[in-house]
Amino acid sequence: DTEVTQTPKHLVMGMTNKKSLKCEQHMGHRAMYWYKQKAKKPPELMFVYSYEKLSINESVPSRFSPECPNSSLLNLHLHALQPEDSALYLCASSQVPQADNSPLHFGNGTRLTVT
Amino acid sequence: AQKITQTQPGMFVQEKEAVTLDCTYDTSDPSYGLFWYKQPSSGEMIFLIYQGSYDQQNATEGRYSLNFQKARKSANLVISASQLGDSAMYFCAMRETVNTGFQKLVFGTGTRLLVSP
């Protein structure tokens, strides 16, 4: 079983809806990440939080809004999405945000479909 | 900028045989780290093995080993005694340092492995 939990597993939403993806880890990790993965493509980084502060935003459109309420939780708020935003959204965490050998631990992902 | 290349879109292997998945990389950083992840159809990315650029020995984790050839800039994953459950997508990834030390993983395009009985 993965130690990073993501909910929901599947989400279908219309372009006018507002929804949130949730991610939780209890490994004491201080860095958390959102990745987006389109079908048959590798994951692409969206955001990195380090000690609950947004550290990296990979020029993600503002219709995606991340939030890190505490060191264990990471949310991704969605609003006015487009059909091309349909993808697998992966949350990950790592021990420390600095460049070292600590691997990223991923959740099972949320499969998002925008209609 | 760093780059990861996986030239094998798909690989087939029979159960109990060994298979090698190729990965080459390009970087000008003297210190770097290479990771391999497995992604089953369920979607989860599972960490398999890590190799640091200064590690003297090739990394091993159970049935997984990394054939690290620094001069050739290759970090091939070797899976010994393949099992049906090894059928999945495999990604090679490199740690990229951005913004004063934050870790960012950049992934290759992946290799889909199919293990047959």
Side-chain angles (χ1 to χ4, degrees):
Chain A
D1 287 339
T2 179
E3 296 178 80
V4 178
T5 304
Q6 289 187 243
T7 56
K9 290 185 178 181
H10 300 273
L11 178 62
V12 179
M13 60 185 290
M15 290 188 285
T16 58
N17 291 158
K18 286 184 180 181
K19 297 286 185 183
S20 296
L21 308 185
K22 297 186 183 300
C23 175
E24 187 170 6
Q25 58 88 12
H26 293 289
M27 294 179 282
H29 290 174
R30 303 312 303 269
M32 296 188 77
Y33 310 75
W34 280 116
Y35 278 82
K36 173 182 177 180
Q37 186 178 22
K38 300 285 282 183
K40 299 183 180 180
K41 297 288 187 182
E44 294 181 343
L45 182 67
M46 299 175 73
F47 303 104
V48 179
Y49 271 84
S50 167
Y51 296 95
E52 295 102 70
K53 293 185 191 288
L54 183 63
S55 303
I56 298 178
N57 177 341
E58 293 283 273
S59 303
V60 178
S62 60
R63 58 185 183 270
F64 295 91
S65 175
E67 178 196 20
C68 190
N70 59 56
S71 60
S72 300
L73 294 173
L74 184 66
N75 299 322
L76 186 63
H77 303 297
L78 314 172
H79 173 56
L81 294 193
Q82 304 297 310
E84 58 265 28
D85 296 322
S86 298
L88 179 68
Y89 288 84
L90 291 161
C91 174
S93 69
S94 67
Q95 283 185 334
V96 290
Q98 293 88 348
D100 62 11
N101 64 350
S102 57
L104 270 61
H105 296 261
F106 286 84
N108 286 330
T110 294
R111 291 192 186 275
L112 174 67
T113 303
V114 182
T115 60
Chain B
Q2 294 160 311
K3 184 178 177 182
I4 295 281
T5 303
Q6 294 181 256
T7 57
Q8 306 156 315
M11 289 287 286
F12 296 89
V13 66
Q14 276 202 310
E15 202 175 4
K16 299 180 185 177
E17 293 189 347
V19 62
T20 298
L21 306 183
D22 295 341
C23 173
T24 58
Y25 59 92
D26 187 21
T27 180
S28 56
D29 290 342
S31 176
Y32 51 89
L34 295 152
F35 301 80
W36 275 92
Y37 282 83
K38 171 185 177 181
Q39 187 176 39
S41 56
S42 59
E44 181 190 0
M45 296 285 284
I46 302 168
F47 166 68
L48 296 177
I49 198 166
Y50 166 83
Q51 180 81 45
S53 59
Y54 290 119
D55 293 342
Q56 295 297 314
Q57 293 186 327
N58 287 344
T60 60
E61 287 287 346
R63 294 187 298 110
Y64 304 108
S65 61
L66 209 150
N67 183 2
F68 181 50
Q69 298 187 43
K70 195 170 180 177
R72 293 186 175 186
K73 293 190 175 180
S74 73
N76 299 337
L77 177 70
V78 180
I79 305 174
S80 63
S82 297
Q83 301 172 356
L84 295 178
D86 293 334
S87 294
M89 182 71 90
Y90 288 80
F91 289 100
C92 181
M94 172 177 279
R95 163 174 53 81
E96 182 176 286
T97 304
V98 297
N99 288 3
T100 56
F102 292 114
Q103 181 185 31
K104 168 181 172 178
L105 268 188
V106 178
F107 290 87
T109 51
T111 296
R112 182 164 296 282
L113 177 65
L114 183 60
V115 181
S116 60

